[in-house]
Amino acid sequence: MARTPEAIAELRRALGAALRGYREASPLDQTAIGRITAYSRTSISHIEAGRQFPGRGFWETADRALEASGELLTQFDRVVADEKQIRIAELQGVPVRRNPPATRQPRFPGTPHDDDWQRDDVNRRELLRLVAATGSLLAIPAFDVDRVQHGAEHPRRLDPATVDAYEQLNAELWTKFAESRSKRDVLPAAQQQLAAINASLNEPQGADMRRRLCTLAGDLFQLCGEIFFDSDSYEDAARCYAEAAHVSKEAREFDLWACAMTRHAFISIYERQYKHASPLLDGAAQLAVRGNPSRTTRYWVAAVQAQTYAGLGNLPACQRALDKAEQVANLGSTAPATGWLRFEGSRLDEERGACYVTLRRPDLAEPALSKALGQATSARRRGSVLVDLATVGAQRGDVDQLLMNGAAALDSARQTASGYVGRKLGDLREHLVPYLGDRHVRYLDSQIKDVVTTSGSKQ
């Protein structure tokens, strides 16, 4: 049986303590380990205390630097395996053994990042104050401030019009997330909206009202997960996606539930743990079939499955999944638009190119990526495509292409402060190794390291 979440936390603390033990037995301090692993000294302190849990790449580098003979990696793999069992079970609605709470807890005891957010606490009037303070952030032409204020102050006495206003606010938050240079700017507003919905869910509500509130909560938890993912806070993102799956299941919103599982699976894909992503995506595909056929959910799941197949080295399966994803074009303009499901096929060229990069097929990747570069509508998307084009240059041995696209991607990372682009640049560094004899490549490598280190120090 899978371990309890409390035992997982204890394993993480034990792993952090093992890291500290090996470090203290070596001549390296926290700052030195941070430089070697591209993390800040503060992050190393959090990792040693079990409060931060980086991916496998960190532990591989630390294990080598500290001459731990694979012990740190063994402990890391044990924590990941146990944690994945719990997450997959929870996302699929399977009960997981937990230690009983000392006192009865509400159904939704808090919102993402509770330890930080609850220091500010949840005064219902704060939602209205936030609306006034952020001004254009929440400027919705038909936005009913009075209704939102009343709903936040009287969580038990909701009416359909107030929930309509909540839906408008959710939609605007997704819009601002898409438009914001710094995605985390949207986090305080999402926090307050979740607090208001959470308060109402912990009061008696009719079945239809509860379903609508659960749907709104599932929407917002996915938004918060996206914000954390963009900030490289993968553990917090995973918590959000898991909670989104729970409330979406309660609302019987199969498309919303499938999207939560797909986003959760993408964390494993991004950490190159493709075998962990597969069962989540299989479950998401089954849920999508039960969803609204006019939505694009099933095609988005297929596009993400293609990335998993690419990571597993299965070119035919990857191409079949991409071909299925392209069937989204058959829906035309009939697909209803939502914040939490934005897949309409416009990014398929960059996703196809990224899959071929993973499969080390630069001949297939470059045409798709070149087309995608001309279609990129945001600096973040452009930066991602440029990193892939730089990787194509490395795979082909074209140093000029590598340098040109790598430098352009660096500019995008600095402009957007996107953890997503920064992480992709960090992955690019391993492709630079064969070319480090070139002084221009060495300079690019040092610049990427600075960007990745700066990004890590801000977490």
Side-chain angles (χ1 to χ4, degrees):
M1 179 178 291
R3 296 177 181 270
T4 65
E6 292 81 0
I8 294 289
E10 183 58 37
L11 282 173
R12 289 186 175 192
R13 287 191 290 271
L15 178 54
L19 173 65
R20 184 176 63 250
Y22 278 106
R23 178 183 59 75
E24 291 177 346
S26 78
L28 302 175
D29 59 12
Q30 290 180 335
T31 301
I33 289 295
R35 281 197 297 267
I36 293 170
T37 60
Y39 277 70
S40 68
R41 187 204 62 76
T42 300
S43 291
I44 299 300
S45 177
H46 288 323
I47 293 166
E48 291 184 348
R51 294 190 297 269
Q52 188 171 336
F53 191 62
R56 201 173 199 275
F58 169 87
W59 296 102
E60 288 177 342
T61 304
D63 196 284
R64 288 195 300 269
L66 296 172
E67 299 180 353
S69 303
E71 178 59 29
L72 292 176
L73 274 178
T74 299
Q75 290 191 42
F76 168 78
D77 289 339
R78 179 186 176 195
V79 175
V80 169
D82 286 340
E83 188 167 32
K84 290 296 181 182
Q85 289 180 40
I86 287 180
R87 287 182 177 171
I88 291 172
E90 288 181 334
L91 285 163
Q92 294 177 334
V94 179
V96 179
R97 175 171 59 87
R98 295 178 182 272
N99 291 347
T103 58
R104 180 182 178 274
Q105 298 291 324
R107 170 65 185 87
F108 303 106
T111 52
H113 234 314
D114 277 346
D115 291 344
D116 294 335
W117 290 359
Q118 288 182 358
R119 294 191 188 101
D120 301 325
D121 209 356
V122 185
N123 183 334
R124 305 292 175 245
R125 296 182 184 274
E126 282 295 290
L127 182 60
L128 180 62
R129 183 200 63 76
L130 186 72
V131 171
T134 54
S136 62
L137 177 64
L138 301 178
I140 306 174
F143 185 58
D144 193 333
V145 173
D146 291 336
R147 285 194 180 277
V148 171
Q149 179 187 18
H150 186 272
E153 293 179 346
H154 303 89
R156 181 177 295 192
R157 297 196 296 275
L158 290 184
D159 56 55
T162 300
V163 181
D164 289 344
Y166 283 171
E167 289 176 349
Q168 288 181 303
L169 181 53
N170 275 26
E172 180 67 5
L173 288 170
W174 276 105
T175 299
K176 295 305 178 184
F177 170 80
E179 295 174 350
S180 296
R181 177 175 177 272
S182 175
K183 305 303 183 184
R184 211 172 179 104
D185 290 346
V186 184
L187 193 57
Q191 169 210 342
Q192 296 294 337
Q193 173 77 333
L194 264 173
I197 293 171
N198 180 37
S200 293
L201 279 168
N202 285 313
E203 297 288 349
Q205 305 288 350
D208 184 63
M209 182 64 73
R210 184 169 186 82
R211 184 191 64 77
R212 291 187 68 186
L213 289 169
C214 283
T215 300
L216 288 169
D219 179 338
L220 279 172
F221 274 118
Q222 293 199 51
L223 173 59
C224 291
E226 291 287 87
I227 295 168
F228 284 128
F229 181 83
D230 191 74
S231 302
D232 283 349
S233 300
Y234 302 128
E235 181 180 355
D236 293 323
R239 288 180 58 204
C240 292
Y241 298 147
E243 194 61 40
H246 284 310
V247 292
S248 301
K249 178 189 177 186
E250 185 165 337
R252 295 190 64 78
E253 287 286 349
F254 296 108
D255 289 291
L256 192 64
W257 186 0
C259 286
M261 292 182 69
T262 301
R263 286 190 163 94
H264 197 288
F266 195 77
I267 296 175
S268 294
I269 293 172
Y270 208 56
E271 294 178 335
R272 302 181 185 178
Q273 297 172 1
Y274 303 106
K275 291 182 179 179
H276 292 307
S278 291
L280 289 175
L281 290 170
D282 290 343
Q286 293 171 19
L287 289 170
V289 172
R290 301 174 66 185
N292 184 342
S294 68
R295 291 197 184 279
T296 61
T297 314
R298 66 194 66 189
Y299 306 112
W300 183 43
V301 174
V304 180
Q305 284 180 312
Q307 297 179 50
T308 300
Y309 293 134
L312 294 172
N314 191 336
L315 175 61
C318 174
Q319 291 178 317
R320 286 194 298 270
L322 287 167
D323 291 343
K324 179 177 179 178
E326 287 187 343
Q327 294 175 23
V328 70
N330 296 334
L331 291 181
S333 60
T334 62
T338 67
W340 48 268
L341 180 58
R342 304 184 298 278
F343 183 78
E344 80 296 341
S346 64
R347 302 189 182 194
L348 274 172
D349 286 317
E350 59 197 83
E351 291 173 5
R352 185 179 288 273
C355 286
Y356 292 149
V357 166
T358 301
L359 286 159
R360 302 190 68 83
R361 290 296 302 270
D363 56 319
L364 298 175
E366 187 164 21
L369 291 171
S370 297
K371 184 178 178 182
L373 191 61
Q375 299 170 338
T377 56
S378 70
R380 181 177 181 270
R381 286 178 61 185
R382 184 176 177 82
S384 176
V385 175
L386 286 165
V387 174
D388 286 331
L389 281 168
T391 306
V392 166
Q395 291 175 348
R396 282 185 161 171
D398 187 335
V399 176
D400 290 338
Q401 180 180 354
L402 165 63
L403 291 169
M404 179 181 69
N405 290 297
L410 263 174
D411 289 341
S412 290
R414 291 174 176 136
Q415 176 186 348
T416 62
S418 169
Y420 174 71
V421 178
R423 174 68 181 267
K424 290 194 71 170
L425 279 168
D427 292 340
L428 175 63
R429 291 186 68 198
E430 67 185 65
H431 296 280
L432 304 184
V433 173
Y435 309 103
L436 290 177
D438 185 305
R439 64 185 179 88
H440 299 294
V441 176
R442 287 199 302 275
Y443 179 74
L444 176 64
D445 181 65
S446 68
Q447 292 296 295
I448 292 175
K449 184 176 180 181
D450 287 345
V451 166
V452 173
T453 304
T454 301
S455 175
S457 67
K458 292 178 179 177
Q459 293 180 33

